[in-house]
Amino acid sequence: TDALPAEANMAIQTICDIFYRSVDTFRKPEHLKFKKDGAWRAVSSEELRAAVEETSMGLRALGVGKGDTVALLSENRPEWAIADLATLCAGAADATIYATLTAPQVQYILADSESKVVFVSSAAQARKVAEVRDRLPLLQHVVRFDPAPVPGTTSLDELRAKGKEALAADREAVRRRAAEVTGGDLATLIYTSGTTGDPKGVMLTHGNLLHNVLAAEKVFPMVDHEWTALSFLPLCHSFERTAGHNFMLHRGVTIAYAESVEKVPENMGEVRPHIMCSVPR
């Protein structure tokens, strides 16, 4: 399939625009895929839209808005994409954190980014935050992806329930807020490795991220909405964020999340992806 007509791309100014165009246009039974309890499961376009909107309204209920930062401390999984898109559609920016970092390293990024909320994938990640929370006066909420209760945290399901209630009163609330976001607004803070002193939070706008997506489209116009991609590099890194997340959403590709780097060969055989993105290793 050729790249989108130039006028269609001109209408896309932000990652929020990419998200809404993706779920509105492609309407797939499998927009995202993940493996749970030994079986591959799908998130449809409609389920993805609902999850992002409910989470976004839930964040707004917590007081998150323009100028705020929300952190993501998680391995690759559908909830990572949902939390990222929900944050951006609320007009806020996110700070992405490697799931392998230690509690003091997590503390540094949460403090430096002035994060108001942090999403954590599991009890293990929640423990890292709990260990340093008394040194993070600006952090107000910890939202966990896994349903098992963890003291001091709220579950994503609970956050979505709060957002769903607010959405029932105003169905277009998230679309309206997302439409107010501009290309010049801060979208994300991606932290450097810290090999030359403390990590630096690289400030990237919606326009920065979108430019990379549209440039990639010119080089890879054959990438098609009927394709499946296997995502395995960390989404908190700028490469996978562009190549395996934003670009794939833009082209309507089904994104399947590998269970881990070690499981990539096995997952390749199960998913049979048309495309995988990687860096020299």
Side-chain angles (χ1 to χ4, degrees):
T1 305
D2 290 335
L4 284 171
E7 59 272 18
N9 277 343
M10 282 173 67
I12 300 171
Q13 302 292 323
T14 66
I15 301 303
C16 308
D17 294 341
I18 281 182
F19 160 66
Y20 270 114
R21 179 188 158 276
S22 192
V23 293
D24 289 348
T25 304
F26 300 112
R27 298 184 175 276
K28 307 179 71 163
E30 296 185 341
H31 217 107
L32 306 177
K33 288 177 76 169
F34 63 105
K35 197 173 179 185
K36 186 177 180 183
D37 300 329
W40 284 91
R41 297 155 195 261
V43 179
S44 70
S45 302
E46 183 55 31
E47 288 167 337
L48 177 59
R49 182 196 60 75
V52 169
E53 289 191 338
E54 289 168 10
T55 305
S56 194
M57 286 300 277
L59 286 172
R60 286 171 65 175
L62 298 182
V64 172
K66 190 164 184 176
D68 290 326
T69 308
V70 172
L72 268 98
L73 175 58
S74 169
E75 305 78 14
N76 290 14
R77 52 193 287 173
E79 294 91 343
W80 195 105
I82 289 162
D84 168 56
L85 294 165
T87 299
L88 300 186
C89 286
D94 52 31
T96 58
I97 307 175
Y98 279 96
T100 52
L101 295 189
T102 63
Q105 290 171 316
V106 168
Q107 178 199 332
Y108 176 84
I109 293 175
L110 289 174
D112 188 71
S113 64
E114 300 181 350
S115 290
K116 185 184 275 192
V117 177
V118 59
F119 286 99
V120 297
S121 57
S122 62
Q125 300 297 355
R127 278 195 295 273
K128 293 178 188 176
V129 177
E131 205 177 301
V132 296
R133 195 164 181 181
D134 60 348
R135 281 161 266 166
L136 296 166
L138 298 179
L139 184 67
Q140 297 173 16
H141 304 279
V142 180
V143 181
R144 70 183 188 280
F145 295 156
D146 288 348
V150 177
T153 70
T154 302
S155 74
L156 180 59
D157 288 342
E158 290 167 330
L159 186 70
R160 283 186 59 177
K162 195 176 289 192
K164 190 173 185 176
E165 198 178 315
L167 266 180
D170 187 355
R171 291 278 170 210
E172 297 299 309
V174 180
R175 279 186 190 265
R176 280 201 313 277
R177 175 63 62 88
E180 293 167 3
V181 178
T182 71
D185 286 342
L186 182 67
T188 192
L189 294 167
I190 297 182
Y191 279 78
T192 59
S193 64
T195 48
T196 53
D198 289 331
K200 319 291 190 297
V202 180
M203 300 169 71
L204 296 169
T205 65
H206 283 263
N208 293 147
L209 299 177
L210 181 63
H211 181 87
N212 277 356
V213 169
L214 300 183
E217 185 173 46
K218 289 176 184 171
V219 184
F220 299 103
M222 76 296 292
V223 174
D224 187 82
H225 68 275
E226 294 183 353
W227 285 18
T228 296
L230 185 65
S231 171
F232 69 96
L233 293 180
L235 277 164
C236 54
H237 191 271
S238 56
F239 177 83
E240 188 65 19
R241 181 81 166 272
T242 287
H245 178 57
N246 292 332
F247 179 63
M248 296 306 172
L249 284 171
H250 178 59
R251 296 298 293 177
V253 175
T254 296
I255 303 169
Y257 297 102
E259 295 173 273
S260 64
V261 172
E262 293 73 30
K263 290 281 188 81
V264 164
E266 182 184 323
N267 294 161
M268 283 174 72
E270 295 162 343
V271 170
R272 300 179 65 80
H274 299 80
I275 188 168
M276 293 170 64
C277 301
S278 187
V279 293
R281 179 164 175 143

